[in-house]
Amino acid sequence: MAVPVTSTIEDEPEELDPELAAALQSHLPGEWSEDEYLILIEQWNAPLEYSAGCIEVLTMPTDRHHAILSALFLVFNAIAQQIGGKVYFMGIRIRLWSGKFREPDIVFLRSIHDPRRSNRYWDGADLVLEVVSDSPTDRRRDLVTKRRDYARAGILEYWIVDPQDEIVTVLQLKDSQYVEHGVFARGDVATSALLSDLRVDVSATFDA
């Protein structure tokens, strides 16, 4: 969203720290600079994204969201250790291009020495993953908006994990657009086009 004190456009306003809410209201949408955004997230460590001068307040993750992410992180981390890569879940921001920051649920680089890594944020990733939240706005953001954003940024693979439909969609970048590498349901093992040894048990993921 681009409205400072609500988590999404359609959803009910979410309770925010009063000082954070006041800080968000100190600028009109479209007036925030990148530096101001980075200062804001360092002060509050809140789930905030940045797009075209607007601060987007994300929905706080649920218990199930965290459980699914934790299960996925263990699988991705094993692969990262195997190939000398780096993976984080939640809290690492990606600068997709000037004026656009996203905070994927999982970010992955195939080399720990990738120059896109920096302390405050990463300038891209090889793979990102989002666990879709329940609200209509969050679903649209993950399924449509971020699919477009991550493709434009040249991220090679995008995983969309949808607890509502219990589907894992793996998108591979080809000719600047994503195509489906696979759509995986319960009973399937989700695979990666980018990481040949990666295997994710879909049933175990959603049972986490």
Side-chain angles (χ1 to χ4, degrees):
M1 69 149 241
V3 181
V5 293
T6 59
S7 59
T8 65
I9 294 172
E10 287 97 351
D11 294 343
E12 291 298 318
E14 188 171 295
E15 288 294 328
L16 296 178
D17 180 284
E19 292 185 6
L20 174 58
L24 291 172
Q25 291 175 324
S26 67
H27 291 56
L28 292 173
E31 289 187 344
W32 287 87
S33 70
E34 284 191 4
D35 286 340
E36 288 172 327
Y37 161 72
L38 291 170
I39 291 170
L40 186 73
I41 59 176
E42 288 171 356
Q43 288 178 334
W44 273 278
N45 195 30
L48 306 173
E49 295 183 333
Y50 176 80
S51 179
C54 297
I55 302 295
E56 299 181 6
V57 183
L58 305 184
T59 304
M60 291 299 293
T62 62
D63 182 88
R64 190 181 187 207
H65 190 116
H66 274 297
I68 290 171
L69 265 184
S70 297
L72 288 165
F73 174 76
L74 293 175
V75 179
F76 278 88
N77 190 50
I79 296 296
Q81 292 181 345
Q82 176 182 320
I83 68 173
K86 192 65 178 178
V87 61
Y88 286 120
F89 77 100
M90 303 186 67
I92 293 293
R93 290 154 186 95
I94 304 294
R95 186 178 187 267
L96 301 181
W97 60 82
S98 178
K100 178 74 74 171
F101 281 79
R102 292 296 187 191
E103 189 175 323
D105 285 323
I106 284 179
V107 294
F108 191 103
L109 287 170
R110 288 173 292 179
S111 172
I112 198 170
H113 303 297
D114 193 301
R116 291 174 291 178
R117 287 185 67 198
S118 66
N119 192 46
R120 299 181 82 188
Y121 57 85
W122 289 7
D123 275 308
D126 293 323
L127 181 153
V128 296
L129 180 150
E130 299 282 6
V131 177
V132 183
S133 298
D134 291 336
S135 80
T137 300
D138 287 333
R139 292 185 64 79
R140 183 172 65 250
R141 182 189 290 117
D142 290 339
L143 296 171
V144 179
T145 307
K146 289 189 176 182
R147 176 172 177 157
R148 180 184 64 240
D149 289 350
Y150 293 148
R152 176 181 168 183
I155 293 175
L156 299 176
E157 193 163 289
Y158 177 28
W159 285 52
I160 304 173
V161 179
D162 188 347
Q164 180 174 301
D165 294 335
E166 297 196 327
I167 293 290
V168 175
T169 302
V170 179
L171 302 172
Q172 179 184 11
L173 191 66
K174 288 189 177 180
D175 299 325
S176 301
Q177 292 186 338
Y178 282 129
V179 297
E180 288 183 358
H181 166 70
V183 178
F184 306 95
R186 279 188 172 273
D188 296 335
V189 175
T191 61
S192 166
L194 188 66
L195 305 168
S196 59
D197 292 334
L198 182 64
R199 299 287 186 273
V200 173
D201 184 320
V202 176
S203 296
T205 297
F206 290 122
D207 287 340

